[in-house]
Amino acid sequence: MQEQQNNPDIRSAYEKAADEGIDPRCIPLPLDVIPPVGEAIPYPDYPAQDHTVWNILYSRQIASLEGRVCREYIDGTKMMGFSPDKIPALSDLSKVLNLNTGWSVGRVPGLIRAEDFFRLLQKRVFPSTDYIRGMEEIDYTPAPDLFHDIFGHMPLLTNKSFADFYQKFGEAALKAEGEVKLFLERFHWFTVEFGLIRNAEGLRIYGAGIISSKNEVAHSLSENVTVLDFDPEKIIRQEYDVWHLQPILFAVDSFEQLDEGFTGWAKSAGIL
């Protein structure tokens, strides 16, 4: 009993949330079969309401992101050829990524276990769902869906520095043990999901968790948020709550800094 009290709780934020009776869709699933990748992904027979939900979410977020999101993300959306009228095909998006940065898209059934997720990233395969939230969750869903995966994550994977960083992240995470796994989870949260970037236009958003959220877009650049400079050592020590608006965020100066900073930290931790 004494040993348990002295050991730090190194479970992920989602694992802790599961103990609190949070939505079961947020409990990671084992990936028992190799997911279809690229051209092997069939296009679902979506009902009309699914395309309507995509249209509402896409139109709303694109409008709210104007003047707030980074240029690299906007460039990525143009490459992806998103349309407000129809849910994009994962196979088509995979072709775009493969042409630009050597990444592909793999279809997964939902939130998957960390080791399966990292193994796909290591292979430059981005795991994406192919279902979208219902109209009753239009403003917020705790579960992963294709809008978050496609609209939030994929555009930045057209950027070489970000794409290289993400592949290294997957490679390093597969070697991590103990507390280092928790450090990587925090690093992912404060960069890939909730990262900010400083550029010539000022402070801008790049994190997918912000980009795909109605409330986080305005909140992230408001005076209610403390923005800290990118520092891997500070990021890995910063705790967070997955169910509330984020009060603390970190800003990089460039995606090259993100890639180089992560690589240096991971090497020092012996996982790259």
Side-chain angles (χ1 to χ4, degrees):
M1 188 65 145
Q2 184 63 39
E3 183 180 353
Q4 288 181 339
Q5 291 175 347
N6 291 337
N7 287 338
D9 187 348
I10 60 171
R11 294 174 302 156
S12 73
Y14 283 104
E15 288 170 331
K16 293 174 185 175
D19 283 351
E20 299 167 5
I22 298 301
D23 194 316
R25 295 174 298 172
C26 298
I27 299 174
L29 303 168
L31 196 58
D32 296 326
V33 296
I34 298 173
V37 175
E39 293 183 354
I41 304 174
Y43 188 75
D45 184 17
Y46 293 111
Q49 180 167 290
D50 283 1
H51 293 293
T52 299
V53 170
W54 167 267
N55 181 288
I56 292 170
L57 291 171
Y58 177 86
S59 301
R60 182 176 72 190
Q61 291 306 110
I62 279 291
S64 68
L65 288 170
E66 186 173 355
R68 293 185 171 115
V69 76
C70 67
R71 171 183 47 79
E72 292 87 347
Y73 175 85
I74 294 298
D75 291 344
T77 62
K78 292 176 181 176
M79 290 184 205
M80 301 303 254
F82 292 154
S83 165
D85 301 321
K86 182 181 179 182
I87 295 171
L90 295 183
S91 57
D92 291 341
L93 302 178
S94 188
K95 288 178 188 175
V96 174
L97 294 182
N98 198 259
L99 268 173
N100 286 279
T101 56
W103 276 72
S104 300
V105 177
R107 188 194 66 193
V108 295
L111 185 67
I112 59 175
R113 291 184 309 186
E115 56 266 35
D116 295 322
F117 179 74
F118 298 142
R119 194 169 291 110
L120 290 172
L121 295 188
Q122 181 193 35
K123 297 176 181 177
R124 296 178 89 89
V125 175
F126 180 73
S128 175
T129 52
D130 66 351
Y131 57 84
I132 197 163
R133 70 195 69 178
M135 194 69 77
E136 71 280 0
E137 291 187 316
I138 194 77
D139 288 334
Y140 172 74
T141 176
D145 78 334
L146 68 81
F147 184 73
H148 175 76
D149 293 339
I150 293 174
F151 186 85
H153 282 284
M154 291 190 199
L156 268 188
L157 286 173
T158 62
N159 178 272
K160 184 181 183 304
S161 293
F162 186 87
D164 288 348
F165 149 71
Y166 214 19
Q167 187 273 330
K168 291 174 189 173
F169 186 93
E171 180 181 346
L174 286 173
K175 299 176 183 176
E177 296 181 355
E179 194 175 25
V180 178
K181 289 184 177 181
L182 178 59
F183 292 163
L184 284 169
E185 183 199 331
R186 290 171 178 166
F187 199 98
H188 190 273
W189 183 264
F190 286 110
T191 57
V192 177
E193 293 291 352
F194 284 86
L196 301 178
I197 185 170
R198 292 187 177 94
N199 58 28
E201 292 77 35
L203 194 62
R204 294 292 184 268
I205 298 162
Y206 77 85
I210 304 175
I211 286 171
S212 61
S213 167
K214 175 186 176 184
N215 294 326
E216 288 284 4
V217 169
H219 171 77
S220 65
L221 299 180
S222 74
E223 60 183 15
N224 297 318
V225 175
T226 299
V227 179
L228 304 177
D229 292 337
F230 174 75
D231 182 336
E233 288 298 330
K234 289 182 180 178
I235 290 174
I236 64 172
R237 304 290 175 185
Q238 181 63 53
E239 295 187 353
Y240 63 92
D241 184 336
V242 300
W243 310 114
H244 296 93
L245 293 172
Q246 301 303 303
I248 296 174
L249 298 174
F250 291 84
V252 297
D253 293 326
S254 67
F255 291 121
E256 290 77 13
Q257 182 193 32
L258 174 63
D259 184 23
E260 293 168 6
F262 175 75
T263 300
W265 175 81
K267 286 182 176 179
S268 70
I271 54 175
L272 261 188

